[in-house]
Amino acid sequence: LAEHNGLRLRKPLPLTVESIGDTFAVGVASLRIFGAGATVAEAVADFWRNLESVYHSYSMTPPDELSRDARQYLRQLRVLLTTD
């Protein structure tokens, strides 16, 4: 879990893994980003898709259109992630 579609982790990101019936859920509660799937691998892939979507959405929004909380959240994501 270090890179996905050009988005890379700057440092390890511990994921919480839970089994809920026939579904696995993974996520990072502090980021409010989660993924789910029939297997842990599917849940991790879903997590990455959600993480990418959130990161790119916040990154592509002009800073003056983001709320103060959203700008702080984007800074938190940028501490964890890079696209270089």
Side-chain angles (χ1 to χ4, degrees):
L1 183 67
E3 182 174 356
H4 191 265
N5 291 337
L7 192 63
R8 288 185 300 122
L9 293 175
R10 293 180 188 269
K11 57 185 180 179
L13 185 61
L15 294 177
T16 300
V17 179
E18 295 181 39
S19 175
I20 305 166
D22 293 340
T23 302
F24 288 92
V26 301
V28 178
S30 64
L31 296 177
R32 300 176 307 278
I33 300 176
F34 303 91
T39 65
V40 172
E42 288 177 13
V44 169
D46 188 50
F47 169 84
W48 267 108
R49 283 189 295 275
N50 294 333
L51 179 61
E52 284 178 298
S53 176
V54 169
Y55 180 80
H56 290 303
S57 176
Y58 278 72
S59 293
M60 298 180 106
T61 302
D64 61 331
E65 293 182 18
L66 293 172
S67 69
R68 183 176 146 185
D69 288 344
R71 288 190 306 271
Q72 182 177 347
Y73 185 65
L74 179 57
R75 282 191 295 275
Q76 184 181 5
L77 291 173
R78 286 183 171 155
V79 166
L80 297 171
L81 304 164
T82 183
T83 56
D84 330 315

